[in-house]
């Protein structure tokens, strides 16, 4: 189960990563379910390309596309999806996703393996970063594994999360060179 506040119809790096990773896992024969909050009139269960099942839970975004932090009221719906879909691994995305953090905590308590992918790099000095570091220390205390998108992000995650470095892996962002090529520069005629 992939879970994050960030998913289509929004467009961004985390949204694309979840979508394409899910599509690749489906092609390999894995069952993949994605959970996110409602977007406009998009609520309930929807299917995307390749049979990807998406639960748009009936919570509206609070600020910056994040659902309102509820902690315990989210447990019944997360538990129901985990049991109904026979989930074995919960994979949360993005440090700023409250839905991700709540699902990781509930899943850990229920005995599921949890993985967290950090798509961000942030500081240690401003009030927002200090607060987020404390939240992440708490919610990532017992994750099975963590994934970062760069060695610098990994070092940052080791420092603020307290996770042992051997639990954190780097899978760098990728560029499909078949789709993106350097521009052909025409010689100037002077």
């Amino acid at each position: 189960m992939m879970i994050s506040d960030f998913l289509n119809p929004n467009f961004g790096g985390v949204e694309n990563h979840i979508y394409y990773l899910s599509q690749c896992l489906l092609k390999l024969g894995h069952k993949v379910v994605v959970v996110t909050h409602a977007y406009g009139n998009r609520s309930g269960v929807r299917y995307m390309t390749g049979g990807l099942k998406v639960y748009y839970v009936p919570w509206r975004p609070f600020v910056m596309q994040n659902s309102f932090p509820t902690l315990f009221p989210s447990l019944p719906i997360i538990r129901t999806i985990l049991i109904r879909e026979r989930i074995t691994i919960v994979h949360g995305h993005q440090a700023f996703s409250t839905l991700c953090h709540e699902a990781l905590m509930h899943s850990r308590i229920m005995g599921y393996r949890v993985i967290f992918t950090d798509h961000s790099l942030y500081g240690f000095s401003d009030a927002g970063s200090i607060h987020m570091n404390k939240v992440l220390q708490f919610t990532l205390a017992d994750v099975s594994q963590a994934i970062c998108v760069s060695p610098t992000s990994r070092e940052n995650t080791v420092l603020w999360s307290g996770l042992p470095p051997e639990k954190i892996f780097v899978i760098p962002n990728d560029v499909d060179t078949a789709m993106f090529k350097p521009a052909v520069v025409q010689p100037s005629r002077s």
Side-chain angles (χ1 to χ4, degrees):
M1 178 172 86
M2 306 279 184
I3 188 152
S4 181
D5 279 303
F6 306 99
L7 191 68
N8 299 330
N10 268 4
F11 185 76
V14 176
E15 294 86 345
N16 285 338
H17 172 79
I18 293 170
Y19 175 78
Y20 286 113
L21 176 58
S22 298
Q23 292 298 325
C24 288
L25 289 169
L26 285 169
K27 285 180 184 172
L28 290 172
H30 297 281
K31 179 181 179 181
V32 181
V33 173
V34 180
V35 179
T36 190
H37 62 72
Y39 281 92
N41 66 353
R42 196 176 292 206
S43 186
V45 178
R46 301 274 181 109
Y47 287 88
M48 298 177 95
T49 307
L52 178 61
K53 189 174 190 177
V54 180
Y55 283 87
Y56 290 94
V57 295
W59 299 314
R60 300 286 174 217
F62 173 59
V63 64
M64 295 173 50
Q65 290 306 315
N66 277 298
S67 49
F68 187 77
T70 61
L71 200 54
F72 296 112
S74 62
L75 176 59
I77 197 160
I78 298 297
R79 181 182 178 275
T80 299
I81 294 169
L82 289 168
I83 293 169
R84 176 184 297 157
E85 297 294 339
R86 297 185 177 150
I87 301 299
T88 56
I89 298 173
V90 177
H91 188 167
H93 294 266
Q94 184 57 308
F96 297 102
S97 170
T98 55
L99 183 58
C100 164
H101 292 293
E102 290 179 17
L104 291 180
M105 287 188 316
H106 298 321
S107 301
R108 271 193 353 248
I109 290 167
M110 293 175 63
Y112 289 90
R113 291 189 61 207
V114 295
I115 300 169
F116 172 73
T117 296
D118 187 13
H119 297 265
S120 304
L121 187 60
Y122 37 85
F124 294 92
S125 59
D126 61 282
S129 294
I130 292 168
H131 173 71
M132 183 50 66
N133 291 341
K134 293 298 179 191
V135 168
L136 289 165
Q137 241 177 355
F138 177 70
T139 59
L140 300 183
D142 196 26
V143 297
S144 306
Q145 305 287 318
I147 300 169
C148 294
V149 296
S150 71
T152 303
S153 176
R154 180 181 184 270
E155 289 174 21
N156 201 16
T157 302
V158 168
L159 288 172
W160 55 251
S161 71
L163 286 173
E166 56 274 5
K167 279 189 163 189
I168 305 173
F169 298 90
V170 174
I171 301 176
N173 290 325
D174 195 21
V175 175
D176 185 350
T177 56
M179 291 179 67
F180 299 99
K181 298 186 182 295
V184 177
V185 179
Q186 300 291 331
S188 62
R189 298 182 185 201
S190 356

